[in-house]
Amino acid sequence: QVQLVESGGGLVQPGGSLRLSCTASGTIFTIYAMGWYRQAPGNERELVALAISSGNTVYADSVKGRFTISRDNAKNTVYLQMNSLTLEDTAVYYCSADLTGSYYWGRGTQVTVSS
């Protein structure tokens, strides 16, 4: 089994920054991709950013230029640096891991942007 544990969520004012972390543990051979999704109340879960083992990254248009995803493969950890946060970024953020066809999710961490 594989477990994903997120940290770093919280309350921040508009324009502020937060850094999310997620570490995978358990029986892990290869992680193809790690990423972040988010779900706001009443909305579907959406992709925020993805870091693929090749080094490529994918971002939702809404976060390009503001968020940066990075991975520490030695630690099976993915980070999401979020800058210039807006009210629309408020959501539960979920970490994901694709172990070459097997998908895992964290429990989520709340990010609230409010003045």
Side-chain angles (χ1 to χ4, degrees):
Q1 269 293 2
V2 175
Q3 296 81 39
L4 302 179
V5 178
E6 304 112 329
S7 63
L11 173 65
V12 64
Q13 292 185 341
S17 298
L18 281 176
R19 188 188 192 216
L20 306 182
S21 301
C22 171
T23 298
S25 62
T27 305
I28 299 171
F29 296 104
T30 302
I31 301 179
Y32 171 69
M34 295 188 76
W36 293 93
Y37 290 72
R38 67 186 180 187
Q39 187 168 18
N43 291 352
E44 294 185 353
R45 190 173 297 189
E46 63 176 3
L47 173 69
V48 177
L50 201 62
I52 303 171
S53 58
S54 62
N56 291 337
T57 55
V58 176
Y59 292 95
D61 287 342
S62 59
V63 307
K64 284 181 181 177
R66 300 188 299 122
F67 291 11
T68 302
I69 190 170
S70 59
R71 277 176 66 175
D72 185 333
N73 293 325
K75 297 181 179 180
N76 291 329
T77 298
V78 64
Y79 306 96
L80 186 68
Q81 178 65 43
M82 305 186 292
N83 298 328
S84 302
L85 285 160
T86 71
L87 300 178
E88 289 70 34
D89 294 316
T90 295
V92 177
Y93 284 69
Y94 296 91
C95 176
S96 71
D98 174 3
L99 275 63
T100 57
S102 298
Y103 300 91
Y104 297 89
W105 294 92
R107 292 187 176 184
T109 184
Q110 177 70 47
V111 171
T112 302
V113 184
S114 175
S115 56

